[in-house]
Amino acid sequence: MQIIKYRILIRHLSFGWCAWCLLCFAFLSAVFVIFALSDQPDLLNRFLAEDGLDHFASWFLPQIPWFLPSSSFFGTLSCLLFLRQRREWLAMQASGVPAYLVLFVYLTLGLLPTCLVWVASNADAVSGVNESEFSRHQGFQMKVDRTRAWYFESFDANGLTGKNLQLYSYDRSGNDSFRIRAEQAMFNGQSGWAFKKGRFLGFPSHKGLPVPNQDNDGLQWRTLDEIEADFLQDEFTGPLMNKSFDTLAIKELRDDPLPHLMLKNGPKALSLKELDYVLEEFAEVNSEILAPYELRHAQMLLNSPSCMVAIFFAFCIGVGRGKVSIGQMIGLTLLGLVTFYVLRTTFDALGDEAIIKPMLAAVLPYAISVLGGWVLYLKKR
């Protein structure tokens, strides 16, 4: 009934909130684009190309989850402060309009940026790997479960092709199993690794001797003969198979280079889906190494509800009984901004170093902001 009773007021509050949030979003976006173009002048040429609109959309889309929560905060705070500055807030309080009705209107409107953040976070944006230095044929290496070590002189992340490879494979005891040197190596998720123009070295073990099959499309483990078994018994460490090849395909090798490229690329360059992929592939890796990626993953998951937290925090800061000056408005805005920045920076550092769990480090700034805002609101009543 109260919603029907105050429908005109609700409409006025809604229009005001939307206008301020859009203005804040436009301002933040413009500042970001200007700084980006000043740091990367070639971006403008890409945007002006024939497919420039698509490129701009895929480039700007990952920034939306970071802009909308800030826009929700500044928009809500500005709306409230101007209501107080024009004494409209005082008039609403004198008329018996409950404060929770205003908060309800803002939180309801906040569902829109919350949904937009969720869509933007899960959209297919420009891959962090494709835009990274690794796509420009930089050197690359990866180690897999202490059983294989890959060293490439150069690697193309777009085509998943490496040049001048040296591959070392070990058994469970850490002894050499086989080695491959090849001028070119290509990875396919369905058929594994393929090598061109190289040499295969096979070492004896209790499992047998690894040798390429007749068609060079896989490995087979041949039983050691009596002489080879004696070599193994005498702890011979040299290869018993030394064979050159033009092409060699090993379906058994499914070491995917993409997660390693993403791990080298840094967490801030990865999308939510790419972070999921990295954390799944390296689930058994030391948590201290993955802590920055787990923290970034948790932060991106919290981007959507952070819009609601930002609105609530801004509401608690902005409400008050008296009229405020422009100076006080700026001061309150900076107070909210600096408070959250200090909390976020502090807990980010703790989460990056795995001093506390990354998920906890991501949640605590929002939890403390909500709790602190609620205490501040109660004191103002």
Side-chain angles (χ1 to χ4, degrees):
M1 293 297 294
Q2 284 191 333
I3 295 179
I4 298 176
K5 179 181 178 181
Y6 297 115
R7 61 183 181 277
I8 297 178
L9 175 62
I10 291 174
R11 189 185 308 158
H12 173 68
L13 293 173
S14 300
F15 285 152
W17 186 88
C18 291
W20 276 109
C21 287
L22 287 173
L23 180 62
C24 293
F25 179 77
F27 174 77
L28 292 175
S29 301
V31 170
F32 172 77
V33 170
I34 291 171
F35 276 97
L37 292 177
S38 63
D39 291 338
Q40 306 176 51
D42 60 312
L43 279 177
L44 184 59
N45 295 329
R46 298 181 192 175
F47 298 157
L48 294 177
E50 184 176 351
D51 58 344
L53 184 60
D54 292 337
H55 186 84
F56 177 80
S58 61
W59 172 80
F60 186 74
L61 188 64
Q63 315 307 324
I64 291 180
W66 307 103
F67 289 159
L68 284 179
S70 300
S71 302
S72 299
F73 172 80
F74 288 118
T76 303
L77 188 58
S78 300
C79 194
L80 283 169
L81 293 178
F82 271 95
L83 286 176
R84 291 178 58 187
Q85 204 272 338
R86 295 192 297 262
R87 297 186 181 275
E88 293 181 37
W89 181 263
L90 183 61
M92 286 190 294
Q93 295 297 297
S95 302
V97 178
Y100 68 80
L101 178 63
V102 179
L103 178 60
F104 173 78
V105 172
Y106 290 162
L107 290 176
T108 302
L109 294 171
L111 292 174
L112 178 59
T114 297
C115 294
L116 290 175
V117 168
W118 178 254
V119 171
S121 297
N122 289 275
D124 291 326
V126 173
S127 172
V129 173
N130 291 341
E131 295 294 324
S132 73
E133 60 183 16
F134 295 104
S135 65
R136 295 191 291 270
H137 303 277
Q138 298 296 320
F140 173 61
Q141 61 181 348
M142 61 179 183
K143 297 181 179 180
V144 182
D145 298 333
R146 297 184 180 180
T147 59
R148 281 181 295 279
W150 301 71
Y151 300 93
F152 297 90
E153 184 177 312
S154 63
F155 196 88
D156 178 13
N158 295 323
L160 297 181
T161 303
K163 293 183 178 180
N164 295 329
L165 161 73
Q166 294 194 47
L167 168 61
Y168 300 85
S169 181
Y170 309 96
D171 60 22
R172 294 182 179 179
S173 301
N175 301 315
D176 284 308
S177 178
F178 63 85
R179 297 179 185 177
I180 295 176
R181 296 177 183 175
E183 293 184 9
Q184 188 176 32
M186 297 160 289
F187 177 75
N188 183 286
Q190 301 296 326
S191 57
W193 282 92
F195 310 92
K196 291 184 177 180
K197 295 183 179 181
R199 183 168 294 277
F200 179 89
L201 303 177
F203 294 80
S205 67
H206 295 288
K207 188 177 179 180
L209 181 67
V211 295
N213 60 25
Q214 293 182 349
D215 298 326
N216 280 350
D217 61 355
L219 291 182
Q220 59 185 14
W221 293 85
R222 179 172 59 78
T223 304
L224 300 178
D225 60 29
E226 185 176 348
I227 296 177
E228 293 170 338
D230 290 338
F231 278 120
L232 182 63
Q233 189 70 25
D234 296 336
E235 298 183 352
F236 177 71
T237 57
L240 294 181
M241 165 64 66
N242 189 333
K243 178 182 178 181
S244 62
F245 59 84
D246 290 326
T247 60
L248 174 62
I250 304 181
K251 298 178 181 180
E252 297 88 345
L253 286 179
R254 297 300 181 103
D255 301 338
D256 192 344
L258 275 180
H260 298 268
L261 289 166
M262 294 175 183
L263 196 64
K264 294 289 185 180
N265 205 25
K268 292 185 177 181
L270 304 181
S271 67
L272 183 60
K273 290 183 179 180
E274 289 170 336
L275 287 169
D276 283 330
Y277 188 36
V278 168
L279 294 176
E280 181 180 354
E281 289 291 324
F282 296 100
E284 299 180 359
V285 176
N286 189 334
S287 60
E288 293 184 2
I289 298 176
L290 290 180
Y293 298 85
E294 293 176 350
L295 177 63
R296 180 71 171 184
H297 183 262
Q299 289 173 343
M300 294 190 74
L301 289 177
L302 289 173
N303 275 338
S304 290
S306 69
C307 291
M308 309 299 280
V309 173
I311 292 172
F312 180 81
F313 188 45
F315 178 83
C316 294
I317 294 176
V319 295
R321 296 182 180 276
K323 179 181 178 181
V324 292
S325 63
I326 299 297
Q328 289 175 318
M329 293 167 60
I330 296 174
L332 286 172
T333 304
L334 291 177
L335 173 64
L337 181 63
V338 171
T339 300
F340 185 78
Y341 176 79
V342 171
L343 289 172
R344 179 71 176 264
T345 303
T346 301
F347 286 106
D348 278 2
L350 295 175
D352 272 334
E353 298 297 328
I355 298 175
I356 61 177
K357 291 185 177 181
M359 177 58 76
L360 186 62
V363 169
L364 281 177
Y366 298 104
I368 294 174
S369 297
V370 170
L371 182 60
W374 180 249
V375 172
L376 181 63
Y377 173 73
L378 292 178
K379 288 184 177 181
K380 290 182 180 181
R381 295 184 62 181

